[in-house]
Amino acid sequence: MTDPGDLAVTLVDGYVDEPAHFGVPPYVSTYPRYVAGALVDVGVPPANVTYHTIDALREERGRWADVDDADLLVYLGGMTVPGRYVGGTPAEPEEVREIAWTASGTTVMGGPIRFGVGEENAGAIETERDDLDFDYVAGGDVEAAIHDLVANGLEGFNRRYRTVEEGSRWARKGAFVVEQHPNFPEYLIAELETSRGCAYRCSFCTEPMYGDPTFRSPDSVVSEVAALYDRGVRHFRIGRQADILAYGGDGEAPNPDALRDLYTGIREVAPELGTLHLDNMNPVTITEYPEASREAIGIIATYNTPGDTAAFGVESADPVVQAENNLLVTADEALEAIRIVNEVGGWRPGEEPADAPTTGPDASRRLPKLLPGINLVHGLAGEREETFEHNRRFLERILEADLLVRRINIRQVMAFEGTEMAETGAQLAADHKGQFKQYKRAVREEIDNPMLQRVAPVGTILEDVHLEYHDSGTTFGRQLGTYPLLVGIPGERDLGRVIDVAITDHGYRSVSGVPYPLSVETATMDELTAIPGIGSGTAGDVIVGRPYDSLSAVPGADALAPFVAD
């Protein structure tokens, strides 16, 4: 019998992207934290648990020794929705297989990778289940599998799901592992789970494979936040649930009291948090329970931090596709849900209710507190040429109604065994790929750009932008949060720094900006000419005329005023 106290365990995080769970840096998912907690719960000392991300293994081959030397190697990963990522690159299947080949000890693979593996992490592909040469694949919860495997002396385990009580306990006990994440502590946001499963059965979604919704109590989530906060985490997203409005209820109707307990509890144990965002919000809940939803949305917008996004799974505005894929809202209903979130949550700091946390100067120039995001999926059963026009017209109606959405996510479906889409596969998506690309480009040009100008007008201040990479003489960075704006800043600046930025221009899904506040005494030519109304001639005059006694003496003072210090 292997003594848990003697085990050396290595966790490798290949990252996850699920319909209701995200874990690509700067996010850390629940999986490594819960597995670490399960290990400690069964008797493995925290000092014996080593954690690496796949990017850390790529960057330093010497870290592979931890894979080779471990008595137990646990791989955590899987992408069940396609995406494009800035902060990290998810593991490809052959990299995962190399981990299994390198490890000398017992190997276990878990997470959403159990649903299937494709040739690459992309849309319009079909997947199949594959053990990728691991000794074990956790068919249920990987944290439960690891707990039971270690308890059984590495002699196997039965497929099962953890209980709510186990998950809450392991969440607290596993908080320590975040300290080994490469982004810790400044540029790390912890994904929080409030529930799993879904009351509905959309054709393509893997979330119903977890069953009907089960909810953690507000106290259990708050205690996990307290444990992470004590370890140094300051950024949180309540993202692991199919519908935040259904939290603490019967799986469909809102429970505003539970949400109030959750949000006020988090604010109490994490008083200096930097980010509190969410992810999924089901528009059908808003249309079915409008008054309770308004109350719940108001609570969220009171206690969150600016720039929050509630992702709406609209999926398609085509009534034929809606009928064939068990989709929940019509285009008209989705539009009404968007309107309600705008009315209740779309205010900017400085306009807040009396009981909201206070904000600093220039508050009204921040992003709105809470806006919807729109998810559209292509390649679903019943898709036809008219589908693209239905979706495009739906997005145009949002603009015409003067409503705001934070972002529009358009993707092609991935087909997984166990979902209804397994019968359709990815053939429709492949057949329509050319039309899909044209339509997506049109949406970016005709919808995304004007919408972004409304959401984040020139002069909007993005606080705490983390500088991530350089490209063609520009430094790019993002805030921590749900679907953060990518902002380009003139010049190559030291990466890893955190600065405030004022927006100067808009792309399709990104913005340009300058450091805020900008000093007229030190601003570069590129920074000055980035400001609307300041051409190269005026910028040259500003530089030649330094120093200045007051802003009023600076050439182009009116145009510069929103971007410089008093």
Side-chain angles (χ1 to χ4, degrees), residues 112-452:
I113 197 168
R114 68 187 175 90
F115 294 129
V117 178
E119 293 182 1
E120 59 177 336
N121 295 320
I125 64 168
E126 297 182 15
T127 64
E128 61 181 7
R129 289 174 177 165
D130 191 332
D131 65 17
L132 297 178
D133 298 331
F134 278 71
D135 297 328
Y136 298 102
V137 177
D141 280 329
V142 62
E143 54 268 38
I146 295 303
H147 177 276
D148 296 352
L149 179 65
V150 173
N152 295 335
L154 303 185
E155 296 297 326
F157 56 88
N158 293 322
R159 179 186 182 276
R160 74 175 180 92
Y161 287 96
R162 55 173 160 83
T163 65
V164 173
E165 292 74 18
E166 284 177 324
S168 296
R169 186 171 69 249
W170 296 343
R172 293 190 303 272
K173 290 190 173 185
F176 73 92
V177 83
V178 299
E179 296 181 10
Q180 299 183 51
H181 196 287
N183 289 43
F184 178 84
E186 289 86 4
Y187 197 39
L188 187 67
I189 183 167
E191 185 86 312
L192 301 175
E193 175 183 310
T194 65
S195 70
R196 294 193 305 175
C198 186
Y200 305 102
R201 299 292 183 267
C202 300
S203 67
F204 60 93
C205 188
T206 56
E207 189 63 21
M209 294 184 186
Y210 293 101
D212 290 328
T214 56
F215 298 98
R216 297 174 63 190
S217 69
D219 285 346
S220 71
V221 179
V222 169
S223 67
E224 178 185 5
V225 171
L228 291 164
Y229 191 81
D230 287 346
R231 292 283 178 175
V233 177
R234 294 294 180 268
H235 305 278
F236 304 92
R237 186 176 84 154
I238 306 171
R240 181 67 183 101
Q241 69 277 316
D243 179 13
I244 188 64
L245 293 181
Y247 173 67
D250 61 4
E252 297 183 23
N255 182 346
D257 290 338
L259 277 173
R260 185 178 291 105
D261 290 344
L262 176 67
Y263 273 83
T264 58
I266 290 173
R267 282 289 189 170
E268 183 175 343
V269 300
E272 301 297 325
L273 63 78
T275 306
L276 181 57
H277 280 186
L278 61 88
D279 193 6
N280 301 299
M281 183 181 289
N282 200 328
V284 75
T285 307
I286 301 174
T287 60
E288 292 291 326
Y289 308 95
E291 292 311 311
S293 294
R294 282 179 177 273
E295 183 180 356
I297 293 165
I299 291 166
I300 294 167
T302 297
Y303 294 103
N304 68 354
T305 53
D308 201 358
T309 306
F312 277 11
V314 176
E315 318 307 1
S316 180
D318 182 347
V320 172
V321 176
Q322 292 165 0
E324 291 199 28
N325 295 275
N326 309 318
L327 304 185
L328 302 172
V329 291
T330 66
D332 288 344
E333 290 170 332
L335 196 66
E336 179 60 18
I338 292 167
R339 188 186 314 278
I340 288 174
V341 175
N342 270 253
E343 290 174 357
V344 181
W347 48 274
R348 297 177 191 266
E351 309 162 350
E352 58 262 68
D355 55 347
T358 57
T359 53
D362 299 314
S364 62
R365 294 170 59 190
R366 302 309 196 263
L367 292 172
K369 288 300 293 296
L370 178 66
L371 292 177
I374 304 299
N375 294 340
L376 296 173
V377 179
H378 284 268
L380 298 177
E383 182 171 283
R384 54 204 174 127
E385 186 173 340
E386 293 92 331
T387 301
F388 296 91
E389 186 55 35
H390 277 289
N391 286 352
R392 186 168 169 175
R393 180 62 192 140
F394 166 67
L395 298 175
E396 289 172 347
R397 290 175 65 194
I398 299 172
L399 271 180
E400 291 166 0
D402 290 326
L403 298 173
L404 301 181
V405 295
R406 169 56 196 86
R407 68 98 179 95
I408 300 165
N409 185 20
I410 302 172
R411 62 184 177 89
Q412 290 189 292
V413 72
M414 298 176 74
F416 287 90
E417 183 180 337
T419 68
E420 291 182 24
M421 273 304 299
E423 299 177 11
T424 303
Q427 190 58 51
L428 271 175
D431 291 346
H432 297 168
K433 201 150 196 171
Q435 188 175 2
F436 173 79
K437 288 182 177 179
Q438 293 176 4
Y439 142 86
K440 189 173 181 179
R441 186 181 308 112
V443 169
R444 297 296 177 239
E445 294 173 356
E446 299 168 15
I447 308 293
D448 277 333
N449 180 265
M451 182 62 72
L452 192 51

